[in-house]
Amino acid sequence: MRREEMIGRIRERQGAAEPWDIVVIGGGATGMGVAVDAAARGLSVALIEAHDFGKGTSSRSTKLVHGGVRYLEQGNIPLVMSALKERGLMRQNAPHLVHDLAFVVPNYSWWEAPFYGIGLKLYDLLAGRYGFGASKLLSKEETLERLPALEADELRGGVVYYDGQFDDARLLVHLAMTAADHGAVLANYCPATGLLRDAEGYVNGVTARDEETGEELTLMARVVVNATGVFTDSIRQMADANAEPLMITSQGIHLVFDRSFLKSDTALMVPKTSDGRVLFVIPWHGHAVAGTTDTPVDAPSLEPRPLEEEIEFVLETAARFFARPPTRADVLAVFVGLRPLVRAPGGGEAKTSAVSRDHVIHVDTSGLLTITGGKWTTYRHMAEDAVDHAITLGKLPDVDCPTKNLRIHGYMENSAELEALEVYGADAAQIRALAAAEPALAAQLHPALPYIAAEVVWAAREEMARTVEDALARHTRALFLNANAAIAMAEPVARLLAAELGRDDAWIAAQVGDFTALAQQYRVI
Ligand SMILES: Cc1cc2nc3c(=O)[nH]c(=O)nc-3n(C[C@H](O)[C@H](O)[C@H](O)COP(=O)(O)OP(=O)(O)OC[C@H]3O[C@@H](n4cnc5c(N)ncnc54)[C@H](O)[C@@H]3O)c2cc1C
């Protein structure tokens, strides 16, 4: 993917008589899923993203590909079944990025084993042929064998079950590449600035601004899809200033620790924390990630900040389960995401954790099609639903959705043999070739993290990374794993990017300054 080429293709169409079949606003999981689906059906599609692809919620999830054990408790069986099926399809189509993972629910009371044991059997059952493995009751010894770091005092046993895990921002990059492979045009750093309407008042295009050059762009469209997550209402209000808000937002934080807190490849699942939520501690890229919280927030933001009480809550909950309780000093990074939740008709939910995680398709009287809510796990199904609606709305060719069996860019079985480059799948060979051709590119950028210089060059050349933040937050996950290490990597990364993108020393200095300031928010002091 080359940004200049993508913007060029948008510019070319501006004067052409043919509008795009679909223009998507928002380059998170939802919008990128729509771009993949539409392109794979042979429709012409352009997607514009205000920042880097995945800058919003889609890089800040708990990294689970799951049916959602918690939604079972809420009795939302259709959501769980559909998500379990999608979980299976995600692993089938992107085996380099999605894996199964064993989760242990430890039991400290006599009633927990039968209670969770039965619930998890139902979870297995609902997965049907998309199952990841049978759940099973564990003795105390077996529980400790799987999770040696667990507090052994008063432990009675546990239940093990299987779910999926992934790298969210990397999957997003690979979805972008899949969409591009099928002919989609994608532009990052290109916010939608307004909606255009035809003589009858129907939305028939979008105006956007190229943030790098200031150029104003016009994208005429048969259907405009609004996939802007927590920003959904701001786009709807471009079409109708009086549009009733659809969204409510809650934030969730995650704390990242050294892997020694888990000491194994098994995740810990706490089904009921003191505030009634689920808490996970999962192994991820050689670290342990603990989260999440569910705190209502008033206004959406691209860089939400953790609240002190959220940090304390995750630390306290984790401390109850680990023989060595983690402290603030052990936190290598904190990251925060905002859930795009759809208001129930009439609104007024007492708790955001009780709001449905189903997705919603909404068509405004202006014809603007909004898709929102849902989960990362269900992105494909959401996209299918959105494009089906767009086909009707825009009188587009009625082509069947092919994504159930569509391989995601980089598809590779047995990718574990790629070790630190596993997330690139088939592209890893080209990154290795870069490193082999130029030994400086084989250099590790920081001793605490496995990333090498060639990955940054690759991100700039092929994945449309534009800034130090893009390279360190999403194309590699350095910022999400270890904020101090990421800060130390900023200057060498800026130099590598400057060489690729033709930037000068002033750009390098500004990038290092901006990134260092941002990364402070990912540290817990
Ligand atoms: C804490 C937390 C944990 C979660 N964990 C999981 C999990 O483990 N598994 C799971 O399946 N799901 C999980 N989810 C849910 C999942 O992450 C979200 O449902 C999903 O990422 C939402 O994607 P989206 O594309 O709708 O939103 P986003 O990713 O936020 O994308 C919207 C995009 O629109 C862009 N945008 C906004 N305004 C404009 C504009 N004017 N022009 C152009 N672009 C614009 C934004 O920059 C943004 O990139 C979690 C969510 C949270 C908050």
Side-chain angles (χ1 to χ4, degrees):
M1 298 190 293
R2 309 265 185 301
R3 189 171 184 280
E4 294 72 17
E5 213 175 290
M6 296 288 190
I7 298 280
R9 283 166 68 191
I10 291 177
R11 205 180 289 127
E12 260 165 39
R13 273 240 180 181
Q14 289 188 124
E18 269 298 283
W20 298 94
D21 288 329
I22 297 180
V23 168
V24 183
I25 310 175
T30 307
M32 205 55 89
V34 172
V36 169
D37 185 304
R41 292 198 213 205
L43 301 172
S44 65
V45 56
L47 178 148
I48 49 172
E49 160 58 46
H51 199 276
D52 181 27
F53 305 126
K55 164 77 178 182
T57 307
S58 297
S59 56
R60 299 154 186 273
S61 77
T62 311
K63 331 296 179 202
L64 299 180
V65 182
H66 62 160
V69 174
R70 191 162 67 84
Y71 313 124
L72 258 193
E73 205 198 24
Q74 294 172 357
N76 195 342
I77 302 286
L79 173 65
V80 176
M81 281 190 82
S82 141
L84 284 171
K85 179 176 170 186
E86 292 303 320
R87 179 186 75 166
L89 294 176
M90 257 169 101
R91 188 182 59 171
Q92 169 196 294
N93 295 331
H96 51 310
L97 286 156
V98 180
H99 303 278
D100 41 294
L101 182 65
F103 290 72
V104 165
V105 181
N107 303 150
Y108 290 91
S109 311
W110 64 268
W111 57 270
E112 286 178 320
F115 183 77
Y116 294 119
I118 291 167
L120 290 164
K121 277 284 166 235
L122 174 61
Y123 195 64
D124 294 347
L125 184 81
L126 294 176
R129 65 190 177 98
Y130 297 99
F132 274 24
S135 63
K136 159 165 127 96
L137 295 183
L138 302 175
S139 66
K140 176 175 178 172
E141 291 67 37
E142 287 168 329
T143 306
L144 286 170
E145 224 167 82
R146 285 179 179 263
L147 275 181
L150 212 55
E151 175 58 68
D153 240 22
E154 293 181 39
L155 180 72
R156 285 167 175 264
V159 188
V160 61
Y161 74 98
Y162 298 87
D163 234 329
Q165 189 197 28
F166 75 135
D167 182 329
D168 48 10
R170 284 299 319 168
L171 180 59
L172 193 79
V173 170
H174 289 247
L175 286 179
M177 293 167 101
T178 309
D181 292 344
H182 286 83
V185 168
L186 316 163
N188 52 6
Y189 295 97
C190 232
T193 50
L195 296 175
L196 301 168
R197 286 156 175 277
D198 66 14
E200 287 164 88
Y202 289 115
V203 168
N204 68 348
V206 182
T207 55
R209 187 180 49 252
D210 178 347
E211 292 282 34
E212 293 194 355
T213 59
E215 180 180 357
E216 299 292 334
L217 299 162
T218 302
L219 297 91
M220 302 308 292
R222 294 204 163 86
V223 181
V224 174
V225 174
N226 172 18
T228 50
V230 293
F231 301 96
T232 290
D233 287 327
S234 64
I235 302 294
R236 290 180 57 242
Q237 281 155 3
M238 285 179 182
D240 173 3
N242 300 317
E244 271 291 305
L246 203 60
M247 308 302 297
I248 46 175
T249 302
S250 85
Q251 81 172 25
I253 76 152
H254 298 86
L255 301 182
V256 181
F257 304 102
D258 192 78
R259 182 66 161 267
S260 63
F261 283 93
L262 263 178
K263 290 195 194 143
S264 74
D265 289 332
T266 302
L268 164 72
M269 194 267 218
V270 179
K272 214 166 206 107
T273 59
S274 58
D275 75 343
R277 279 196 52 80
V278 170
L279 189 112
F280 293 97
V281 184
I282 55 169
W284 190 61
H285 291 326
H287 292 71
V289 178
T292 173
T293 53
D294 206 320
T295 314
V297 293
D298 292 336
S301 125
L302 270 178
E303 276 300 342
R305 297 191 178 219
L307 302 176
E308 263 313 301
E309 56 261 37
E310 290 181 299
I311 296 173
E312 285 306 318
F313 173 78
V314 176
L315 282 174
E316 269 169 31
T317 310
R320 257 184 254 152
F321 291 89
F322 287 120
R324 177 160 73 95
T327 67
R328 294 175 81 86
D330 297 310
V331 179
L332 299 174
V334 53
F335 61 90
V336 189
L338 297 182
R339 293 182 187 83
L341 300 173
V342 182
R343 215 177 264 278
E349 292 78 10
K351 266 191 160 185
T352 44
S353 58
V355 176
S356 167
R357 265 51 174 177
D358 286 311
H359 75 267
V360 162
I361 295 206
H362 183 91
V363 182
D364 285 276
T365 48
S366 64
L368 175 69
L369 194 158
T370 291
I371 167 116
T372 191
K375 318 189 315 161
W376 233 121
T377 307
T378 54
Y379 86 91
R380 190 212 63 81
H381 174 58
M382 292 167 68
E384 177 177 356
D385 204 5
V387 176
D388 282 348
H389 278 76
I391 284 175
T392 306
L393 201 63
K395 302 186 189 80
L396 303 172
D398 197 356
V399 182
D400 284 345
C401 170
T403 57
K404 278 199 186 90
N405 295 306
L406 185 79
R407 291 182 171 180
I408 302 305
H409 182 97
Y411 175 97
M412 187 178 169
E413 285 163 28
N414 308 321
S415 54
E417 68 199 30
L418 300 171
E419 296 174 350
L421 296 181
E422 181 179 11
V423 291
Y424 298 93
D427 287 346
Q430 294 181 66
I431 297 172
R432 282 188 177 156
L434 282 175
E438 211 178 309
L441 296 185
Q444 204 171 328
L445 291 162
H446 192 281
L449 295 169
Y451 303 118
I452 59 170
E455 293 177 72
V456 176
V457 170
W458 173 261
R461 280 188 201 167
E462 304 294 337
E463 299 180 346
M464 276 169 76
R466 309 299 292 177
T467 68
V468 169
E469 184 203 327
D470 299 349
L472 289 175
R474 290 167 292 276
H475 295 262
T476 73
R477 306 312 307 271
L479 179 61
F480 282 63
L481 293 171
N482 186 330
N484 283 334
I487 291 169
M489 290 157 77
E491 197 184 332
V493 167
R495 292 196 179 284
L496 288 163
L497 289 175
E500 289 302 313
L501 303 173
R503 310 289 197 230
D504 59 13
D505 283 349
W507 184 88
I508 294 174
Q511 282 288 310
V512 173
D514 289 352
F515 180 75
T516 307
L518 174 78
Q520 300 304 329
Q521 295 178 37
Y522 288 70
R523 298 171 67 215
V524 169
I525 305 153

